[in-house]
Amino acid sequence: MPESTPLRLVDSHGRVATDLRISLTDRCNLRCTYCMPAEGLPWLPKDEVLSDEELVRLAGIGVEHLGILTMRLTGGEPLLRPGLEGLVEKLARLRTPAGHKPGLALTTNGIGLARRVDALADAGLDRINISLDTLDQQTFQTLTRRDRLADVLEGIDAAVASGLSPVKINSVLMRGVNDHEAPDLVAWAGKVGVQLRFIEQMPLDAQHGWRRSDMVTADEIHALLAERFELVEDPADRAARGAAPAELFRVGSTPQRVGIIAAVTKPFCGACDRVRLTSDGQLRTCLFAREESDLRGPLRDGMADRDIAERWVIAVQGKLPGHGINDPSFLQPDRPMSAIGG
Ligand code: SAM
Ligand code: SF4
């Protein structure tokens, strides 16, 4: 392609990727049962993980050459990445060709966030999602295999106080474990001033223990919430949804919104604008992709930015139309969620 041809991440189904999910590490300090086995996983060797410099260079190629407008830092647990504040500062200095700062978001389990959130916001973080599945200490321990509920709640309070807005909370419901807490979580979110989103459990756990019959579906979540709340569809929310995975509902006549991410029963692949970079520099066009494109090798071999960008374009062209979870031939990806970046 001639150097002067502007590049965009368009796939063969006409979707344009503008949101880059970057996994900063595959390591984690929790062991959520729907994500990781109790003993953890064989972590990526340090020399395979992209350095800050490499990561900022790849992100810069995305923002400056390929139309990336937003970035979300995730993992594993991104707060475990040494020097995260410095990395956020460097990513926040990137500019699109039009001179705009790309939106910068973080998804975290919230442990240790209380003492870091202000520095992250000062470094240029715009938005934050924190994961919390239960308000009960014993259930938290059962679900995450760690006794850290108080740390997470402290992190959420600090995020709200920091002014990052809206603070979004991700909850996965597990049948017979925390599904009865769904209405309590909504009431709590209203009180604390955060936007709660329930995510259907997806087949991305390292143990391959996901069973469709165990998954709490979006319909069931609606039924659980209807016991205490009226969820109202607001046409303005629908019009503003775009590529957002969550379908939002107003809680009664209040301004509170609750989101439902029906990734399995109501896939939103047709509107997907995401592309993913793993912490070891592999590009993935979908959480469920079974193929990856290596960007770390060419980067370390000295390939020029423009050539890396063209590789990236070719990878995105091959993005499949959907995740295929509901096809009989579906095969779970080899990498678990924690190593892809959720
Ligand atoms: N450690 C951070 C956290 O938990 O927020 C970031 C990474 S985690 C993989 C990102 C999100 O994926 C979390 O909200 C988590 O609840 C969700 N998640 C993990 N495994 C999942 C699964 N099997 N199905 C649905 N969501 C899952
Ligand atoms: Fe860790 Fe997040 Fe996976 Fe839980 S969901 S084990 S916090 S990476």
Side-chain angles (χ1 to χ4, degrees), residues 226-245:
E227 289 169 16
R228 209 182 306 169
F229 303 101
E230 188 196 5
L231 293 195
V232 186
E233 270 191 81
D234 188 324
D237 288 336
R238 198 174 327 133
R241 181 172 173 188

Side-chain angles (χ1 to χ4, degrees), residues 173-294:
L173 295 178
M174 302 287 283
R175 195 180 303 289
V177 181
N178 64 336
D179 51 345
H180 62 285
E181 276 191 71
D184 291 342
L185 283 162
V186 172
W188 165 82
K191 207 167 72 194
V192 179
V194 293
Q195 187 191 100
L196 181 69
R197 301 119 46 85
F198 292 105
I199 311 177
E200 282 181 345
Q201 189 195 351
M202 295 179 274
L204 284 169
D205 57 311
Q207 318 84 288
H208 290 227
W210 181 88
R211 299 283 170 273
R212 180 176 296 272
S213 52
D214 291 343
M215 173 186 60
V216 180
T217 64
D219 284 349
E220 287 176 271
I221 296 167
H222 276 285
L224 287 165
L225 298 183
E227 289 169 16
R228 209 182 306 169
F229 303 101
E230 188 196 5
L231 293 195
V232 186
E233 270 191 81
D234 188 324
D237 288 336
R238 198 174 327 133
R241 181 172 173 188
E247 206 175 345
L248 291 183
F249 299 90
R250 205 178 65 223
V251 180
S253 55
T254 72
Q256 187 185 353
R257 297 289 190 275
V258 66
I260 299 188
I261 302 182
V264 179
T265 61
K266 241 173 129 184
F268 31 83
C269 305
C272 181
D273 65 353
R274 287 173 278 285
V275 61
R276 295 168 188 276
L277 184 65
T278 64
S279 56
D280 56 344
Q282 308 301 302
L283 197 70
R284 298 179 61 93
T285 55
C286 175
L287 271 177
F288 295 92
R290 298 193 51 78
E291 281 176 17
E292 301 181 338
S293 305
D294 180 30

Side-chain angles (χ1 to χ4, degrees), residues 28-32 34-36 75-77 109 131 338:
C28 192
N29 42 11
L30 294 183
R31 296 285 181 272
C32 303
Y34 49 76
C35 184
M36 266 200 211
E77 177 42 49
N109 65 25
S131 302
S338 55

